[in-house]
Structures are given as structure tokens and as C-alpha cells.
Amino acid sequence: KQEVTQIPAALSVPEGENLVLNCSFTDSAIYNLQWFRQDPGKGLTSLLLIQSSQREQTSGRLNASLDKSSGRSTLYIAASQPGDSATYLCAVRRAGNMLTFGGGTRLMVKP
Amino acid sequence: ETGVTQSPTHLIKTRGQQVTLRCSSQSGHNTVSWYQQALGQGPQFIFQYYREEENGRGNFPPRFSGLQFPNYSSELNVNALELDDSALYLCASSYTGTDTQYFGPGTRLTVL
């Protein structure tokens, strides 16, 4: 059974800091890994998707890496802003389009 | 905006009642998945429908059931509601063979 863990569960940083969110998964037989953002009480917004054959993806100030063999992914956020405050979720996909999510990291960026 | 809508936004029910949640997918998306997200946790996969047939189910009992219609809408039905069913219910639509799933804003269900 695939299990996904995210550390830390919560993080508070001052504006401008660079930060790293961690995601680990137990079964390396994945199709891809996605990072999502969720604002309070809202749905999910896809940030980055990394195929199992890729090592990283970048979008603006966001960079996600994937090490499938060790079951780890990181989301790097550069020059954090208060608008980045949200919950960040990672999810792995196996066959059939089913996503298995981690518990999320609640990020607060203070002005 | 993902083009996926859900109704209602919020719902309050009492234990033992039945509830129907609705999702309207993007046009052309033939796959819809439903997820349950308890407060402070990540979403958990309930089931997926492809071309109006159930195409995979997570660890949820049979009182959770669904329907998918030809007009790209779908329903999640929950019978005999329990207090632990209180959660945000998310639907996600996609086109088979593509990687991107588009999530709706969710329905917040409270069971008293």
C-alpha cells in the first residue's frame, strides 16, 4: 500500500526566505508526482507535475525535484511572499489515475 | 478557474440521513474521480468513473456510491451518514490518457 508523508506539517517563515518542503513515498512504482496548492476551504490547484522519468520541473519561483529510487520529492520556493501562504500537498499517481496524497504542509509567510 | 464546478458549496445533515453531491466536469472529460478530505488531512480517493462505469475504488464502504452521466456531470451519494463523514468532498475530472486532473472547489459536508 502506497503511503505518502510530508514534512514539516506546518512552517512559518518571514517574507523573502527560500524554503524547501519535503515529500516521501513508500512505493517507488509511480507514474508521476504532483505538487498542489490549496487555499483554506478551497479546491486544489496543480503547481508542478513530474513524470517518473524526470528529475525536476520548474515554474517561476517553484522548483520540484523527484528521486524515485529513494522515494523522495522536494518543492523549493524561492523568495517567498505572503501570497504563497497556503497548504501544499504532494500526490503520487500509480496506474488508473488514482492519486495518493500526503497530509500537506501548511505554510505561513509573514510580511 | 478549472472549469469544474460542484454543488452545493456547504451542506449540513444529521446522522443516518442520505446526501447527494454534484459535480460538473469540463466538456470532453470522460473520467471523474471523487476524494474525501477530512479537516487537516490530505484528500483520500473514494472512487473513479470512466464512461459512466466505476473504474476503481478506494477503501470506502458501499454506502458511498456514484453516478456519471453523458453530459459530463456526476454525483456522489452517501447513505446512512455518520459523524466521520464530515469532510470536504472534491471531484476531479480528466481526459483518459492525460496526466492533468482538474479539481473543483469542493462541497463542505457537516454531519451532526
Side-chain angles (χ1 to χ4, degrees), chain B residues 13-38:
Chain B
K13 291 286 189 178
T14 56
R15 195 170 49 183
Q17 284 189 313
Q18 179 267 342
V19 69
T20 296
L21 310 182
R22 294 179 173 83
C23 172
S24 179
S25 303
Q26 283 195 19
S27 179
H29 282 190
N30 54 12
T31 302
V32 64
S33 302
W34 285 89
Y35 292 83
Q36 179 196 66
Q37 186 177 23

Side-chain angles (χ1 to χ4, degrees), chain A residues 50-57 63-69:
Chain A
I50 311 176
Q51 302 291 353
S52 62
S53 58
Q54 296 176 323
R55 295 290 299 220
E56 65 178 321
Q57 283 286 341
N63 175 278
S65 68
L66 174 64
D67 184 341
K68 201 173 72 162
S69 61

Side-chain angles (χ1 to χ4, degrees), chain A residues 1 31-32 34 36 38 40-46 49 51 87 89 93 96-104 106, chain B residues 2 31 33 35 37 40-45 48 55 57-58 88 90 94 97-101 103-106 108:
Chain A
K1 178 189 171 188
Y31 190 71
N32 60 41
Q34 273 187 273
F36 292 87
Q38 185 175 34
K42 304 294 186 182
L44 308 181
T45 300
S46 180
L49 184 150
Q51 302 291 353
T87 295
L89 294 154
R93 178 189 163 190
N97 224 21
M98 165 186 160
L99 298 178
T100 302
F101 285 85
R106 293 190 314 280
Chain B
T2 64
T31 302
S33 302
Y35 292 83
Q37 186 177 23
Q41 298 182 22
Q44 289 196 334
F45 175 75
Q48 180 183 92
N55 187 40
R57 172 177 278 264
L88 181 68
L90 299 163
S94 62
T98 64
D99 291 322
T100 304
Q101 294 191 38
F103 281 82
R108 171 72 63 187

